[in-house]
C-alpha cells in the first residue's frame, strides 16, 4: 500500500486491488451514479393514466412531458396516499442522520421522490401503519412485499419488483373515482396491458431501471 501511495494510488482495502486487477473494462463518467453513487427517479406512470418524464423517451417524443410535481399535484389525496404507502412501507431503506436516506440506491431514489414531490414523512408513515407481514426480496421471484392492516379494505398487500413481472401479474389498474376520495380497481384490458408494457419498454430502451409497484386487498390475512 505504501508503494502504491508513492505512485498516487491510494487504496484503503488492499483486496480491492485483486478485484480491479480482474477487470477488463472500466467505465467512467462526469456525473451520475458512477461518480456520486446516487440514483434518482426521472420518469414514472400511474394506473390512472398520468405520467411524467424528465427526459425524452423516444426519438419522436419531442420535449419531455410534465414534471413529477406537476403531475402529482393533479392526483387525488387518495392516489397520493396509495403511492406514498407503496413506497414508504415496502422498503428496507431508512432515514439516517442529516435527513439522508440510507439503503438500496433504488429504494433511496423512490423515497426521495416521495419526500420531495409528495410530502412524505417516512417516520410518520411507518409508525402509523400496522404491519402484519414482511416478504423479503427474493431473486427468483424478483420482488418484495409487505402486508399492513387497511381499515377500509381489511388487509393490503403491497408488492414492488421487476416492472414486466408486475404488469404480467395484474388484472386491474388503479383509477380515481369520480369524487377523488377513493382509488378503485378497474379491469385491465389487453390493449391497456400492451400500453403498460410499451411504457416499460420505452424506459428500458433509455437504460432506466424499471420498477413496478402493485397492490391487492384481502378481507383477511393469510388469505
Amino acid at each position: 500500500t505504501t508503494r502504491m501511495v508513492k505512485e498516487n494510488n491510494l487504496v484503503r482495502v488492499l483486496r480491492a486491488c485483486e478485484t480491479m486487477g480482474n477487470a477488463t473494462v472500466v467505465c467512467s463518467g462526469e456525473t451520475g451514479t458512477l461518480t456520486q453513487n446516487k440514483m434518482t427517479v426521472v420518469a414514472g406512470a400511474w394506473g390512472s393514466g398520468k405520467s411524467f418524464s424528465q427526459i425524452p423517451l423516444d426519438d419522436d417524443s419531442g420535449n419531455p412531458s410534465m414534471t413529477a410535481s406537476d403531475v402529482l399535484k393533479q392526483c387525488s389525496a387518495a392516489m397520493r396516499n396509495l403511492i406514498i404507502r407503496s413506497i414508504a412501507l415496502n422498503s428496507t431503506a431508512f432515514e439516517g442522520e442529516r435527513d439522508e436516506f440510507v439503503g438500496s440506491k433504488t429504494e433511496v431514489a423512490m423515497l426521495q421522490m416521495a419526500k420531495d414531490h409528495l410530502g412524505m414523512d417516512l417516520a410518520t408513515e411507518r409508525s402509523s401503519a400496522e404491519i402484519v407481514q414482511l416478504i423479503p426480496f427474493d431473486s427468483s421471484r424478483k420482488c418484495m412485499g409487505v402486508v399492513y392492516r387497511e381499515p377500509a379494505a381489511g388487509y393490503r398487500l403491497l408488492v414492488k419488483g421487476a416492472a414486466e413481472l408486475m404488469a404480467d401479474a395484474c388484472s386491474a389498474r388503479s383509477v380515481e373515482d369520480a369524487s377523488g376520495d377513493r382509488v378503485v380497481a378497474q379491469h385491465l384490458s389487453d390493449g391497456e396491458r400492451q400500453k403498460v408494457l410499451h411504457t416499460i419498454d420505452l424506459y428500458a430502451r433509455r437504460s432506466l431501471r424499471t420498477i413496478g409497484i402493485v397492490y391487492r386487498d384481502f378481507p383477511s390475512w393469510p388469505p
Side-chain angles (χ1 to χ4, degrees):
T1 302
T2 302
R3 290 198 303 270
M4 293 182 69
V5 169
K6 293 179 180 179
E7 297 180 7
N8 297 321
N9 290 318
L10 176 60
V11 179
R12 290 184 297 175
V13 182
L14 195 58
R15 63 175 177 272
C17 296
E18 181 180 357
T19 302
M20 290 302 298
N22 292 326
T24 55
V25 177
V26 177
C27 301
S28 62
E30 296 178 0
T31 59
T33 307
L34 291 174
T35 52
Q36 297 182 9
N37 198 26
K38 291 182 180 180
M39 297 181 69
T40 57
V41 177
V42 298
W46 278 258
S48 56
K50 295 182 175 67
S51 64
F52 68 89
S53 174
Q54 297 176 13
I55 59 173
L57 293 178
D58 54 45
D59 295 338
D60 301 324
S61 61
N63 295 324
S65 58
M66 301 172 69
T67 64
S69 294
D70 293 334
V71 173
L72 294 170
K73 286 177 183 177
Q74 300 176 6
C75 290
S76 66
M79 180 63 78
R80 287 196 298 270
N81 288 336
L82 176 60
I83 297 170
I84 287 174
R85 291 212 152 184
S86 294
I87 293 174
L89 301 185
N90 193 16
S91 172
T92 57
F94 60 93
E95 197 162 11
E97 298 178 357
R98 295 178 295 178
D99 296 329
E100 293 182 350
F101 294 114
V102 180
S104 159
K105 302 305 176 185
T106 303
E107 292 185 340
V108 166
M110 296 177 72
L111 289 170
Q112 194 66 52
M113 182 204 72
K115 180 179 180 180
D116 293 343
H117 302 300
L118 292 165
M120 177 199 71
D121 186 322
L122 184 60
T124 300
E125 290 297 329
R126 290 182 174 175
S127 63
S128 62
E130 183 180 347
I131 304 297
V132 178
Q133 183 176 348
L134 296 172
I135 306 169
F137 177 81
D138 186 286
S139 58
S140 61
R141 59 175 175 250
K142 297 183 180 180
C143 65
M144 62 186 294
V146 64
V147 181
Y148 72 98
R149 191 183 295 275
E150 175 60 47
Y155 297 87
R156 178 163 291 172
L157 167 65
L158 304 173
V159 183
K160 174 180 68 183
E164 66 279 4
L165 297 182
M166 298 297 97
D168 288 340
C170 287
S171 59
R173 64 190 183 107
S174 304
V175 298
E176 297 153 311
D177 65 0
S179 64
D181 296 330
R182 294 189 309 131
V183 175
V184 297
Q186 187 179 82
H187 175 70
L188 184 67
S189 67
D190 291 339
E192 290 166 339
R193 185 186 303 279
Q194 290 304 314
K195 288 182 180 179
V196 173
L197 294 174
H198 177 66
T199 300
I200 295 172
D201 183 60
L202 283 179
Y203 293 167
R205 282 194 277 133
R206 280 293 180 180
S207 299
L208 304 182
R209 176 173 294 181
T210 60
I211 303 294
I213 51 176
V214 300
Y215 79 98
R216 180 175 174 179
D217 291 335
F218 296 89
S220 62
W221 191 266

